[in-house]
Amino acid sequence: MSEQQVEALPTQEHHEGGFRPIEQLARDTTKGGPHYGELIEQMRTLMDKVRLVSPDDELALEAIATLKELNDKLDEAVVDEWSAPTWHRTDLPSRGNITLPPFLVDSASRDGVHARITFRTFHLGGNSAAHGGHIALGFDDLLGMTAAVHTRAVTRTAFLHVDYRAITPLNTELRVHGWVERVEGRKVFVRATLHDGDRLCAEAHGLFLMLKPGQQ
């Protein structure tokens, strides 16, 4: 572990389950620089292309060489998770986190979270529909945000149940609404819906636990 990584790890002050305190999040939306959003968009586009690409040998070898060169360049800029821009870039879809389906938050308060989410070609499950696992991933992140905003505490997912009500289309802006049903001690019970216009595509309910000091 590098000296930089050691310095960036949480201290006793920052013990919220190994996370940065909520008050520190989104403090610096310039992290990663002014072109970070475009970099993430280009990476998402690459993921979309690779999901359906069927290259010949020449193209595959050329792409492999290009990607190796790019990986070598990016390796020079890799930081630990605590220093990554995704802790701060609330100005970007999904905070610039390419592991998540891109979503934009319209409002977030104790009353709930309203967001717009788009499942891209990369998230294809089959027959032009979004993969159920990616839908669950979107719910998990947004419900975690819902629980955190409501309680002002760091939480972990205890369970997440998803009911798939209709086909969820790709490359279509969908509406997500998440809210807290009730809080019992450290237990936060949450619900969410996913709509394409007036059509309910999926809904979820789950349990998130507020972490104790030092708990991971």
Side-chain angles (χ1 to χ4, degrees):
M1 185 176 292
S2 70
E3 184 177 340
Q4 179 189 20
Q5 288 173 316
V6 171
E7 289 178 353
L9 290 174
T11 64
Q12 288 185 339
E13 258 185 294
H14 305 149
H15 56 61
E16 298 184 39
F19 293 97
R20 290 296 195 196
I22 288 177
E23 290 75 15
Q24 288 193 3
L25 302 185
R27 279 191 172 183
D28 184 5
T29 55
T30 66
K31 276 275 190 179
H35 306 297
Y36 184 73
E38 179 60 24
L39 171 63
I40 296 302
E41 175 59 27
Q42 290 299 323
M43 291 301 298
R44 288 193 185 277
T45 300
L46 175 63
M47 292 159 63
D48 290 339
K49 302 288 186 184
V50 173
R51 177 64 179 84
L52 294 177
V53 72
S54 179
D56 58 26
D57 287 349
E58 182 179 359
L59 176 57
L61 290 171
E62 182 181 349
I64 289 167
T66 300
L67 289 170
K68 281 183 175 179
E69 181 180 358
L70 177 59
N71 281 326
D72 287 342
K73 289 183 178 180
L74 291 177
D75 192 53
E76 300 171 4
V78 171
V79 297
D80 59 89
E81 66 173 282
W82 313 108
S83 304
T86 51
W87 279 102
H88 299 274
R89 295 305 296 264
T90 52
D91 58 318
L92 299 177
S94 300
R95 306 179 300 280
N97 187 339
I98 63 170
T99 66
L100 299 174
F103 61 79
L104 293 167
V105 176
D106 291 318
S107 64
S109 69
R110 284 182 54 85
D111 294 328
V113 171
H114 291 270
R116 290 165 286 143
I117 191 168
T118 302
F119 296 95
R120 296 174 56 141
T121 302
F122 174 74
H123 305 111
L124 172 66
N127 199 22
S128 299
H131 193 292
H134 289 298
I135 295 170
L137 175 61
F139 273 137
D140 186 53
D141 196 75
L142 283 161
L143 282 174
M145 179 187 303
T146 300
V149 170
H150 185 88
T151 62
R152 299 303 298 170
V154 173
T155 65
R156 287 277 196 185
T157 312
F159 79 79
L160 178 67
H161 178 93
V162 180
D163 290 305
Y164 301 94
R165 302 302 188 187
I167 294 297
T168 298
L170 296 177
N171 299 306
T172 302
E173 191 172 73
L174 310 171
R175 291 183 293 107
V176 181
H177 176 209
W179 67 96
V180 171
E181 282 195 313
R182 67 187 188 278
V183 178
E184 297 177 0
R186 293 171 53 218
K187 297 179 180 180
V188 187
F189 295 87
V190 290
R191 296 194 71 91
T193 56
L194 173 68
H195 279 87
D196 176 17
D198 293 331
R199 184 167 62 94
L200 177 64
C201 297
E203 55 187 330
H205 66 272
L207 169 63
F208 285 70
L209 294 178
M210 288 184 277
L211 298 182
K212 298 177 182 178
Q215 185 178 15
Q216 293 187 342

